[in-house]
Amino acid sequence: MDAQRAQEIADSVDMANVIYNGKSIYIEHVDQQNGVATIHNLDEPNNKQSVSISELAEQ
């Protein structure tokens, strides 16, 4: 995924189906300058992590 699309998804009110390591995730914040996103698994909202945007996939 590219940074612009990740930002669009994060800003959207609609829930997009985004996958990280085979699991559905929610994008909380996108740092386009550094190419990272703060995410959490849908079933673990308190377990936030920063990952490379390039590792995210939209389905």
Side-chain angles (χ1 to χ4, degrees):
M1 175 175 299
D2 68 30
Q4 180 61 37
R5 181 61 183 142
Q7 186 65 59
E8 290 170 2
I9 292 170
D11 291 343
S12 175
V13 294
D14 296 325
M15 184 74 172
N17 189 15
V18 180
I19 305 295
Y20 173 73
N21 281 346
K23 295 187 178 183
S24 294
I25 59 97
Y26 178 80
I27 301 173
E28 293 192 16
H29 175 74
V30 177
D31 180 345
Q32 290 189 38
Q33 187 173 15
N34 292 311
V36 296
T38 303
I39 65 166
H40 68 261
N41 289 342
L42 294 182
D43 57 349
E44 297 180 63
N46 294 323
N47 188 15
K48 298 174 185 165
Q49 57 184 321
S50 292
V51 299
S52 172
I53 293 169
S54 65
E55 295 181 58
L56 303 177
E58 186 174 10
Q59 298 211 336

